[in-house]
Amino acid sequence: EVEMVESGGRLVQPGGSLNLSCVTSGFTFSWNDMSWFRRTPGKGLEWVAGINSIGYTSYLDSVQGRFIISRDNAKNTLYLQMNNLQSDDTAAYLCTLGIRNYNSPFLNGRQGTQVTVSS
């Protein structure tokens, strides 16, 4: 059974930093492309960043230069280093398989980890 558990979200002030983690199991992590998405009540679901199986990365324009996606295949874990956080980054963050796969079933029914950027 595929499992993904996100952690690391919390309340942070504008300009602050966070490092999110996504621990996975139930599939061969090193073989798979992975992404971070975020969800808000107003904007819905939004792809944030992706990393393919050989480490090539891609980003949403608004987070380019501020966020860094990475992976540790030995630990089956995906990371998102978030710097210079802004209020628009407030969202629940989820990880999933694939790049920009809005149809991923793993985006449904999971809460992710909540990031709140506020002073």
Side-chain angles (χ1 to χ4, degrees), residues 5 10 13 15 19 21-22 31 36 43-45 48 54-55 61 67 70 77 82 85 95 99-100 103 107 111 118:
V5 180
R10 61 175 174 84
Q13 292 188 340
N19 191 24
S21 300
C22 169
W31 293 359
W36 284 99
K43 294 172 64 175
L45 197 61
V48 174
I54 59 172
D61 284 349
F67 291 9
S70 63
T77 301
M82 311 166 70
L85 283 160
C95 60
I99 304 291
R100 283 200 192 92
N103 294 318
L107 294 173
Q111 292 186 337
S118 176

Side-chain angles (χ1 to χ4, degrees), residues 55-105:
Y56 180 82
T57 59
S58 53
Y59 298 93
L60 178 70
D61 284 349
S62 63
V63 309
Q64 178 80 49
R66 299 190 297 123
F67 291 9
I68 301 171
I69 187 171
S70 63
R71 63 193 300 159
D72 185 334
N73 290 337
K75 295 182 178 180
N76 295 330
T77 301
L78 182 72
Y79 300 99
L80 186 68
Q81 175 66 41
M82 311 166 70
N83 300 316
N84 190 21
L85 283 160
Q86 306 300 316
S87 57
D88 285 349
D89 297 318
T90 294
Y93 284 74
L94 302 97
C95 60
T96 191
L97 290 141
I99 304 291
R100 283 200 192 92
N101 183 12
Y102 279 84
N103 294 318
S104 170

